[in-house]
Amino acid sequence: MARTQMEKSVYRERFVTELREFAILAAYLFICFTALLAYKAALLKVYGVSFAPWVLAAIKALVSAKFLLIGRMFGLGDGLTQKHPLIISTLYRSFAFLVVLICLTAIEEVILGHLRGESIADSLAGLAGGTLWQVIATSFIVLLILIPWFAFRAVGEVIGDATLVRLFFESRQKH
């Protein structure tokens, strides 16, 4: 059974919308991750350690954006969105997706460690810098990156994405 032209148009529109959101989220995360990794590179340079963060930031941004969109597609973090103020749903989603990103980062480290011939414990030892305080600090910074994104998305859900984009990117007329 062939799809109608209207069905194809709907799928194409959804694909374009999803691709646009992926590109925007990946760009946002790339900017944030680049800033963090550039800071890390500057600190390491003081101790004579060379570190090039750009490719790593791009890869992490692309992978994280995809996982965030997949999680949202499955309704992750939607539990408090209808009955509570936007701040509650924004924080809830931010924490939920922080947990997802931490788990995925841990899985990534285990897989990469396996490819290097390391044990799981050795692979996870270097996670987010290796010490508990570095893991907490990194997690907190990622949370601070997620909160504005989910706040922006929550406002878009309430007033509509087109209105939100217009408010941010069109000139305001004086009355």
Side-chain angles (χ1 to χ4, degrees), residues 101-167:
L101 290 177
I102 289 170
C103 291
L104 292 172
T105 300
I107 291 168
E108 173 190 17
E109 288 297 322
V110 169
I111 290 169
L112 291 174
H114 177 73
L115 295 174
R116 292 186 299 257
E118 298 174 352
S119 69
I120 292 175
D122 289 339
S123 298
L124 293 176
L127 189 64
T131 69
L132 177 62
W133 287 111
Q134 287 174 316
V135 170
I136 292 169
T138 301
S139 298
F140 187 68
I141 291 169
V142 172
L143 178 65
L144 293 177
I145 290 169
L146 293 174
I147 289 172
W149 175 260
F150 285 109
F152 191 81
R153 293 302 314 134
V155 171
E157 289 170 3
V158 171
I159 67 172
D161 288 336
T163 301
L164 185 63
V165 169
R166 194 171 56 253
L167 287 171

Coordinates of all heavy atoms in Angstrom, one line a residue, residues 101-167:
L101 N 22.6 11.1 31.1 CA 23.9 11.4 30.5 C 25.1 10.8 31.4 O 26.1 10.3 30.8 CB 24.1 12.9 30.4 CG 23.3 13.5 29.3 CD1 23.5 15.0 29.3 CD2 23.6 12.9 27.9
I102 N 24.9 10.7 32.7 CA 25.9 10.1 33.5 C 26.0 8.6 33.2 O 27.1 8.1 33.1 CB 25.6 10.4 35.0 CG1 25.8 11.8 35.4 CG2 26.4 9.5 35.9 CD1 25.3 12.2 36.8
C103 N 24.9 8.0 33.1 CA 24.8 6.5 32.8 C 25.5 6.3 31.5 O 26.3 5.3 31.3 CB 23.4 6.0 32.9 SG 22.7 5.9 34.5
L104 N 25.1 7.1 30.5 CA 25.7 6.9 29.1 C 27.1 7.1 29.1 O 27.9 6.5 28.4 CB 24.9 7.7 28.1 CG 23.5 7.3 27.9 CD1 22.7 8.3 27.0 CD2 23.4 5.9 27.3
T105 N 27.6 8.1 29.8 CA 29.0 8.4 29.9 C 29.8 7.3 30.6 O 30.9 6.9 30.1 CB 29.3 9.7 30.7 OG1 28.6 10.8 30.0 CG2 30.8 10.0 30.8
A106 N 29.2 6.7 31.6 CA 29.8 5.5 32.3 C 29.9 4.3 31.3 O 30.9 3.7 31.2 CB 29.0 5.2 33.5
I107 N 28.8 4.1 30.6 CA 28.8 3.0 29.6 C 29.8 3.3 28.5 O 30.6 2.4 28.1 CB 27.4 2.8 29.0 CG1 26.4 2.3 30.0 CG2 27.4 1.9 27.7 CD1 25.0 2.4 29.6
E108 N 29.9 4.5 28.1 CA 30.9 4.9 27.1 C 32.3 4.6 27.6 O 33.2 4.1 26.9 CB 30.8 6.4 26.7 CG 31.8 6.9 25.8 CD 31.8 8.4 25.7 OE1 31.1 9.1 26.5 OE2 32.4 9.0 24.8
E109 N 32.6 5.0 28.8 CA 33.9 4.8 29.4 C 34.3 3.3 29.5 O 35.4 2.8 29.3 CB 34.0 5.4 30.8 CG 34.1 6.9 30.7 CD 35.4 7.4 30.0 OE1 36.5 6.8 30.1 OE2 35.2 8.4 29.2
V110 N 33.3 2.5 29.9 CA 33.5 1.0 30.0 C 33.8 0.4 28.6 O 34.7 -0.4 28.5 CB 32.2 0.3 30.7 CG1 32.3 -1.2 30.5 CG2 32.1 0.8 32.1
I111 N 33.0 0.8 27.6 CA 33.3 0.3 26.3 C 34.7 0.7 25.8 O 35.4 -0.1 25.3 CB 32.2 0.8 25.3 CG1 30.8 0.1 25.6 CG2 32.6 0.5 23.8 CD1 29.6 0.7 24.9
L112 N 35.0 2.0 25.9 CA 36.3 2.5 25.5 C 37.4 1.8 26.3 O 38.5 1.4 25.7 CB 36.4 4.0 25.6 CG 35.6 4.8 24.7 CD1 35.7 6.3 25.0 CD2 36.0 4.5 23.2
G113 N 37.2 1.6 27.6 CA 38.2 0.9 28.4 C 38.3 -0.6 28.0 O 39.4 -1.1 28.0
H114 N 37.2 -1.2 27.6 CA 37.3 -2.6 27.1 C 38.1 -2.7 25.9 O 38.9 -3.6 25.7 CB 35.9 -3.1 26.9 CG 35.9 -4.5 26.3 ND1 36.1 -5.6 27.0 CD2 35.6 -4.9 25.0 CE1 36.1 -6.7 26.3 NE2 35.7 -6.3 25.0
L115 N 38.0 -1.7 25.0 CA 38.8 -1.7 23.7 C 40.2 -1.4 24.0 O 41.1 -1.9 23.2 CB 38.2 -0.6 22.8 CG 36.8 -0.8 22.2 CD1 36.4 0.5 21.5 CD2 36.7 -2.0 21.4
R116 N 40.5 -0.8 25.1 CA 41.9 -0.6 25.5 C 42.5 -1.7 26.4 O 43.6 -1.7 26.8 CB 42.1 0.8 26.3 CG 41.8 2.0 25.5 CD 42.1 3.3 26.3 NE 41.3 3.4 27.5 CZ 40.3 4.2 27.6 NH1 39.9 5.0 26.6 NH2 39.6 4.3 28.7
G117 N 41.6 -2.7 26.7 CA 42.0 -3.8 27.5 C 41.9 -3.5 29.0 O 42.6 -4.3 29.8
E118 N 41.2 -2.6 29.5 CA 41.1 -2.2 30.9 C 39.9 -2.9 31.5 O 38.9 -3.3 30.8 CB 40.9 -0.7 31.0 CG 42.0 0.1 30.5 CD 41.7 1.6 30.6 OE1 40.6 2.0 30.9 OE2 42.6 2.4 30.3
S119 N 40.0 -3.1 32.8 CA 38.8 -3.6 33.5 C 37.8 -2.6 33.7 O 38.0 -1.4 33.4 CB 39.3 -4.1 34.9 OG 39.6 -3.0 35.7
I120 N 36.6 -3.0 34.1 CA 35.5 -2.0 34.3 C 35.9 -1.0 35.4 O 35.6 0.2 35.2 CB 34.2 -2.7 34.7 CG1 33.7 -3.6 33.5 CG2 33.1 -1.8 35.1 CD1 32.5 -4.4 33.7
A121 N 36.4 -1.5 36.5 CA 36.9 -0.6 37.5 C 37.9 0.5 37.1 O 37.8 1.7 37.4 CB 37.4 -1.4 38.7
D122 N 38.9 0.0 36.3 CA 39.9 0.9 35.7 C 39.2 1.9 34.8 O 39.6 3.1 34.7 CB 41.0 0.2 35.0 CG 41.9 -0.6 36.0 OD1 41.9 -0.2 37.2 OD2 42.6 -1.5 35.6
S123 N 38.3 1.5 34.0 CA 37.6 2.3 33.0 C 36.9 3.4 33.7 O 36.9 4.6 33.3 CB 36.7 1.5 32.1 OG 37.3 0.6 31.4
L124 N 36.2 3.1 34.8 CA 35.3 4.0 35.5 C 36.2 4.9 36.4 O 35.7 6.0 36.9 CB 34.2 3.3 36.3 CG 33.2 2.6 35.5 CD1 32.2 1.9 36.3 CD2 32.4 3.7 34.6
A125 N 37.4 4.5 36.7 CA 38.2 5.3 37.6 C 38.5 6.7 37.1 O 38.7 7.7 37.9 CB 39.5 4.6 37.9
G126 N 38.6 6.9 35.8 CA 38.9 8.2 35.2 C 37.7 9.0 34.8 O 37.8 10.1 34.3
L127 N 36.5 8.5 35.2 CA 35.2 9.2 34.9 C 35.2 10.6 35.4 O 35.4 10.8 36.6 CB 34.0 8.3 35.4 CG 32.6 8.7 35.0 CD1 32.5 8.6 33.4 CD2 31.6 7.9 35.7
A128 N 35.0 11.5 34.6 CA 34.8 13.0 35.0 C 36.0 13.5 35.8 O 35.9 14.3 36.6 CB 33.5 13.2 35.7
G129 N 37.2 12.9 35.5 CA 38.4 13.4 36.2 C 38.9 12.4 37.3 O 40.0 12.6 37.7
G130 N 38.1 11.5 37.7 CA 38.6 10.5 38.6 C 38.3 10.6 40.0 O 38.2 9.6 40.7
T131 N 38.2 11.8 40.6 CA 37.9 11.9 42.0 C 36.4 12.1 42.2 O 35.7 12.6 41.3 CB 38.7 13.0 42.7 OG1 38.2 14.3 42.2 CG2 40.1 12.9 42.4
L132 N 35.9 11.9 43.4 CA 34.5 12.1 43.7 C 34.1 13.5 43.5 O 33.1 13.9 43.0 CB 34.1 11.6 45.1 CG 32.7 11.9 45.6 CD1 31.7 11.1 44.7 CD2 32.5 11.5 47.0
W133 N 35.0 14.4 44.0 CA 34.7 15.9 43.8 C 34.6 16.3 42.4 O 33.8 17.2 42.0 CB 35.7 16.7 44.6 CG 35.4 16.6 46.1 CD1 36.2 15.9 47.0 CD2 34.2 17.1 46.8 NE1 35.6 16.0 48.3 CE2 34.4 16.7 48.2 CE3 33.1 17.8 46.4 CZ2 33.4 17.0 49.1 CZ3 32.1 18.1 47.4 CH2 32.3 17.7 48.7
Q134 N 35.5 15.7 41.5 CA 35.5 16.1 40.1 C 34.2 15.5 39.5 O 33.6 16.2 38.6 CB 36.7 15.5 39.4 CG 37.9 16.3 39.7 CD 39.2 15.7 39.2 OE1 39.4 14.5 39.2 NE2 40.0 16.5 38.6
V135 N 33.7 14.4 39.9 CA 32.5 13.8 39.4 C 31.3 14.7 39.8 O 30.4 15.0 39.0 CB 32.3 12.4 39.8 CG1 30.9 11.9 39.5 CG2 33.3 11.5 39.2
I136 N 31.3 15.1 41.0 CA 30.2 16.0 41.5 C 30.2 17.3 40.8 O 29.2 17.8 40.3 CB 30.3 16.2 43.1 CG1 30.0 14.9 43.8 CG2 29.4 17.3 43.5 CD1 30.3 14.9 45.3
A137 N 31.4 17.9 40.7 CA 31.6 19.2 40.0 C 31.1 19.1 38.5 O 30.4 20.0 38.0 CB 33.0 19.7 40.1
T138 N 31.6 18.1 37.8 CA 31.2 17.9 36.4 C 29.7 17.7 36.3 O 29.1 18.3 35.4 CB 32.0 16.7 35.8 OG1 33.4 17.0 35.9 CG2 31.6 16.5 34.4
S139 N 29.1 16.9 37.2 CA 27.7 16.7 37.1 C 26.9 17.9 37.4 O 25.9 18.2 36.7 CB 27.3 15.6 38.1 OG 27.9 14.4 37.9
F140 N 27.4 18.7 38.3 CA 26.7 20.0 38.6 C 26.8 21.0 37.4 O 25.8 21.6 37.1 CB 27.3 20.6 39.9 CG 26.6 21.9 40.3 CD1 25.3 21.8 40.8 CD2 27.2 23.1 40.2 CE1 24.6 22.9 41.3 CE2 26.5 24.2 40.7 CZ 25.2 24.1 41.2
I141 N 27.9 21.0 36.8 CA 28.1 21.9 35.6 C 27.2 21.4 34.5 O 26.5 22.2 33.8 CB 29.6 22.0 35.1 CG1 30.4 22.7 36.2 CG2 29.7 22.6 33.8 CD1 31.9 22.7 36.0
V142 N 27.1 20.1 34.2 CA 26.2 19.6 33.2 C 24.8 19.9 33.5 O 24.0 20.3 32.7 CB 26.5 18.1 33.0 CG1 25.4 17.5 32.0 CG2 27.8 17.9 32.4
L143 N 24.4 19.8 34.8 CA 23.1 20.2 35.2 C 22.8 21.6 34.9 O 21.7 22.0 34.4 CB 22.9 19.9 36.7 CG 21.5 20.3 37.3 CD1 20.4 19.4 36.7 CD2 21.5 20.2 38.8
L144 N 23.8 22.5 35.2 CA 23.6 23.9 34.9 C 23.5 24.2 33.4 O 22.9 25.2 32.9 CB 24.8 24.7 35.5 CG 24.8 24.8 37.0 CD1 26.0 25.6 37.5 CD2 23.5 25.4 37.5
I145 N 24.0 23.3 32.6 CA 23.9 23.4 31.1 C 22.5 22.9 30.7 O 21.9 23.5 29.8 CB 25.0 22.6 30.4 CG1 26.3 23.2 30.6 CG2 24.7 22.3 28.9 CD1 27.5 22.3 30.1
L146 N 22.0 21.9 31.3 CA 20.7 21.3 31.0 C 19.5 22.2 31.4 O 18.5 22.3 30.7 CB 20.5 19.9 31.6 CG 21.4 18.9 31.0 CD1 21.2 17.6 31.8 CD2 21.2 18.6 29.6
I147 N 19.6 22.9 32.5 CA 18.5 23.7 33.0 C 18.0 24.8 32.0 O 16.8 24.8 31.7 CB 18.8 24.3 34.4 CG1 18.8 23.2 35.5 CG2 17.8 25.4 34.8 CD1 19.3 23.6 36.8
P148 N 18.9 25.6 31.4 CA 18.4 26.6 30.5 C 17.8 25.9 29.2 O 16.8 26.4 28.7 CB 19.7 27.4 30.1 CG 20.7 27.1 31.1 CD 20.3 25.8 31.7
W149 N 18.4 24.8 28.8 CA 17.8 24.1 27.6 C 16.4 23.7 27.9 O 15.4 23.9 27.2 CB 18.6 22.9 27.2 CG 18.0 22.2 26.1 CD1 17.3 21.0 26.2 CD2 17.9 22.5 24.7 NE1 16.8 20.7 25.0 CE2 17.1 21.6 24.1 CE3 18.4 23.6 24.0 CZ2 16.9 21.6 22.7 CZ3 18.2 23.7 22.6 CH2 17.4 22.7 22.0
F150 N 16.2 23.0 29.1 CA 14.8 22.5 29.4 C 13.9 23.6 29.8 O 12.7 23.5 29.6 CB 14.9 21.4 30.4 CG 15.4 20.1 29.9 CD1 16.6 19.6 30.2 CD2 14.6 19.4 29.0 CE1 17.1 18.4 29.6 CE2 15.0 18.2 28.4 CZ 16.3 17.7 28.7
A151 N 14.4 24.7 30.3 CA 13.5 25.9 30.6 C 13.0 26.5 29.3 O 11.8 26.8 29.1 CB 14.3 26.9 31.4
F152 N 13.9 26.6 28.3 CA 13.6 27.1 27.0 C 12.5 26.2 26.4 O 11.5 26.7 25.8 CB 14.8 27.2 26.2 CG 14.7 28.0 24.9 CD1 14.8 29.3 24.9 CD2 14.5 27.3 23.7 CE1 14.6 30.0 23.7 CE2 14.4 28.0 22.5 CZ 14.5 29.4 22.5
R153 N 12.7 24.9 26.4 CA 11.8 23.9 25.8 C 10.4 24.0 26.6 O 9.4 23.9 25.9 CB 12.4 22.5 25.9 CG 13.6 22.2 25.1 CD 13.4 22.5 23.6 NE 12.1 21.9 23.1 CZ 11.3 22.6 22.3 NH1 11.5 23.8 21.9 NH2 10.1 22.0 21.9
A154 N 10.4 24.2 27.9 CA 9.2 24.2 28.6 C 8.4 25.4 28.3 O 7.2 25.4 28.1 CB 9.5 24.2 30.1
V155 N 9.0 26.6 28.1 CA 8.3 27.8 27.7 C 7.8 27.6 26.3 O 6.7 28.0 26.0 CB 9.3 29.0 27.8 CG1 8.6 30.2 27.1 CG2 9.6 29.3 29.2
G156 N 8.6 27.0 25.4 CA 8.1 26.7 24.0 C 6.9 25.8 24.0 O 6.0 26.0 23.2
E157 N 6.8 24.8 24.9 CA 5.6 24.0 25.0 C 4.4 24.7 25.4 O 3.3 24.4 25.0 CB 5.9 22.8 26.0 CG 6.9 21.8 25.5 CD 7.3 20.8 26.5 OE1 6.8 20.8 27.7 OE2 8.2 20.0 26.2
V158 N 4.6 25.7 26.3 CA 3.4 26.5 26.8 C 2.9 27.5 25.8 O 1.8 27.6 25.5 CB 3.8 27.2 28.1 CG1 2.7 28.2 28.5 CG2 4.0 26.1 29.2
I159 N 3.9 28.3 25.2 CA 3.5 29.4 24.3 C 3.6 29.0 22.8 O 3.2 29.8 22.0 CB 4.2 30.7 24.6 CG1 5.7 30.6 24.2 CG2 4.0 31.2 26.0 CD1 6.5 31.9 24.3
G160 N 4.2 27.9 22.5 CA 4.4 27.5 21.2 C 5.8 27.8 20.7 O 6.3 28.9 21.0
D161 N 6.4 26.9 20.0 CA 7.8 27.1 19.5 C 7.9 28.3 18.6 O 8.8 29.1 18.6 CB 8.3 25.9 18.8 CG 8.6 24.8 19.8 OD1 8.8 25.0 21.0 OD2 8.6 23.6 19.4
A162 N 6.9 28.5 17.7 CA 7.0 29.7 16.8 C 6.9 31.0 17.5 O 7.7 31.9 17.2 CB 5.8 29.6 15.8
T163 N 6.1 31.1 18.5 CA 6.1 32.3 19.3 C 7.4 32.5 20.1 O 7.9 33.6 20.1 CB 4.9 32.3 20.3 OG1 3.7 32.1 19.6 CG2 4.8 33.5 21.2
L164 N 7.9 31.5 20.6 CA 9.2 31.6 21.4 C 10.3 32.0 20.4 O 11.1 32.9 20.8 CB 9.5 30.2 22.0 CG 10.7 30.2 22.9 CD1 10.6 31.1 24.1 CD2 11.0 28.7 23.3
V165 N 10.4 31.4 19.3 CA 11.4 31.8 18.3 C 11.2 33.3 17.9 O 12.2 34.1 17.9 CB 11.4 30.9 17.1 CG1 12.3 31.5 16.0 CG2 11.9 29.5 17.5
R166 N 10.0 33.7 17.7 CA 9.7 35.1 17.3 C 10.1 36.0 18.4 O 10.7 37.1 18.2 CB 8.2 35.2 16.9 CG 7.9 36.5 16.2 CD 6.5 36.5 15.7 NE 5.5 36.3 16.7 CZ 4.7 35.2 16.9 NH1 4.9 34.2 16.1 NH2 3.8 35.1 17.9
L167 N 9.8 35.7 19.7 CA 10.2 36.5 20.8 C 11.7 36.7 20.9 O 12.2 37.8 21.3 CB 9.7 36.0 22.1 CG 8.1 36.1 22.3 CD1 7.7 35.2 23.5 CD2 7.7 37.5 22.5

